[in-house]
């Protein structure tokens, strides 16, 4: 085979190999974007757009366990906005729920405008936001409780954000004790499971627990203005107290 023909074949082989690598990378990206965890990983190195926190989480010595939201957003592939909302319960549950998705810039702007008009969230540093979330998780773990199982899907959005020490900026539990107050839709099975875990970890008399008798709570995407309150018709059973 002539030298020029050999060079031509080598060039064609290199082009074919390059095309195959591109196809594999495209397939990898498509597979990644098929799951929420993959979407958040894909956006993990994007520029941070906004970070906000509910003022409820910053109240000192609250009369009821503090619960509120932490939001982080980044620029995602395709010029979309990747957003994660963490429902944080400082009473004992840590990250009680989590939601988020990709949004167009227009959709995202509408959501932020709506939230700000109702003064639901206030801007904060990403390092502080992560510090609050991780401190809440650590407190929950000390009570025998784990963060919501979907937390790991959204956690990649914290990439390269070092958690700041929150110090005395937030208050855990109520009156010095871990405190659980059931939401109106927490079913009895879930409440019983939480109670048993806290009892086994903390011991009788070392936590507060108010059990409701109705429903199961769903944290729907971006429906973040609803406070976690007990239904007026729910009956509350005090299972453990400070006495």
């Amino acid at each position: 085979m002539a030298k020029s023909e050999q060079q031509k074949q080598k060039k064609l082989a290199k082009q074919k190999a390059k095309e195959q690598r591109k196809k594999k990378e495209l397939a990898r990206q498509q597979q990644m974007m098929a799951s929420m965890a993959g979407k958040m990983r894909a956006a993990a190195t994007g520029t941070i757009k906004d970070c906000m926190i509910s003022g409820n989480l910053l109240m000192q010595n609250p009369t009821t366990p503090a619960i509120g939201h932490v939001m982080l957003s980044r620029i995602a592939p395709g010029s979309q906005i990747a957003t994660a909302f963490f429902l944080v319960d400082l009473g004992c549950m840590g990250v009680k729920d989590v939601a988020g998705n990709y949004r167009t810039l227009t959709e995202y702007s509408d959501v932020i405008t709506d939230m700000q008009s109702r003064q639901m969230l206030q801007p904060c540093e990403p390092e502080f936001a992560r510090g609050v979330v991780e401190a809440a998780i650590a407190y929950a773990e000390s009570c025998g409780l784990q963060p919501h199982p979907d937390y790991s899907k959204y956690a990649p959005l914290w990439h390269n954000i070092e958690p700041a020490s929150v110090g005395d900026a937030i208050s855990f539990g109520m009156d010095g004790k871990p405190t659980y107050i059931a939401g109106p839709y927490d079913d009895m099975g879930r409440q019983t499971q939480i109670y048993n875990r806290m009892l086994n970890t903390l011991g009788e008399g070392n936590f507060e627990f108010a059990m409701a008798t109705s429903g199961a709570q769903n944290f729907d995407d971006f429906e973040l203005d609803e406070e976690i309150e007990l239904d007026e018709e729910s009956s509350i059973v005090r299972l453990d107290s400070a006495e």
Side-chain angles (χ1 to χ4, degrees):
M1 184 181 294
K3 186 175 181 180
S4 60
E5 183 64 22
Q6 289 178 337
Q7 291 175 337
K8 182 179 179 180
Q9 292 299 323
K10 286 182 179 180
K11 185 176 181 180
L12 289 173
K14 287 182 179 180
Q15 289 177 340
K16 185 176 181 180
K18 185 177 181 180
E19 290 174 357
Q20 288 178 337
R21 287 195 297 270
K22 285 184 177 180
K23 288 181 180 179
K24 287 182 179 180
E25 177 61 20
L26 179 60
R28 186 190 69 81
Q29 291 179 359
Q30 290 175 337
Q31 184 178 19
M32 177 183 291
M33 299 300 282
S35 69
M36 185 57 65
K39 287 182 177 181
M40 294 299 140
R41 287 197 300 271
T45 57
T47 301
I48 295 173
K49 185 165 181 58
D50 292 296
C51 187
M52 299 184 181
I53 189 170
S54 170
N56 292 344
L57 297 174
L58 305 178
M59 295 177 60
Q60 293 297 309
N61 303 314
T63 56
T64 59
I67 186 167
H69 305 96
V70 171
M71 186 278 285
L72 176 68
S73 62
R74 288 182 184 264
I75 304 298
S79 298
Q80 296 194 84
I81 311 298
T83 310
F85 290 88
F86 305 98
L87 180 60
V88 178
D89 174 9
L90 299 182
C92 69
M93 293 291 290
V95 175
K96 187 171 184 177
D97 218 328
V98 59
N101 212 331
Y102 276 27
R103 299 274 170 170
T104 66
L105 181 58
T106 299
E107 291 170 340
Y108 176 78
S109 296
D110 288 344
V111 170
I112 295 300
T113 299
D114 182 56
M115 289 193 304
Q116 290 178 330
S117 69
R118 288 180 281 175
Q119 299 182 346
M120 292 174 54
L121 301 174
Q122 60 192 53
C124 72
E125 293 298 321
E127 293 81 5
F128 179 76
R130 184 172 186 177
V132 169
V133 171
E134 294 194 353
I137 290 174
Y139 185 74
E141 289 176 342
S142 74
C143 299
L145 306 173
Q146 296 297 314
H148 190 279
D150 285 345
Y151 176 74
S152 61
K153 297 179 182 179
Y154 295 86
L157 216 60
W158 294 121
H159 179 69
N160 278 348
I161 298 174
E162 291 295 325
S165 174
V166 297
D168 297 328
I170 57 177
S171 298
F172 293 107
M174 189 172 67
D175 296 329
K177 284 191 174 184
T179 302
Y180 172 82
I181 298 179
Y185 303 110
D186 288 340
D187 63 42
M188 292 298 293
R190 175 64 172 157
Q191 293 175 60
T192 301
Q193 180 186 56
I194 293 169
Y195 174 76
N196 288 333
R197 288 181 178 177
M198 294 181 74
L199 181 63
N200 291 336
T201 303
L202 301 171
E204 186 174 356
N206 294 319
F207 62 97
E208 294 280 353
F209 197 99
M211 179 174 279
T213 59
S214 63
Q217 183 172 344
N218 291 319
F219 181 47
D220 295 328
D221 193 17
F222 291 100
E223 293 183 2
L224 302 174
D225 55 323
E226 298 181 5
E227 295 293 335
I228 308 303
E229 297 177 349
L230 292 171
D231 192 303
E232 292 180 357
E233 297 180 359
S234 297
S235 62
I236 306 302
V237 181
R238 179 69 66 182
L239 296 183
D240 200 51
S241 69
E243 297 178 359

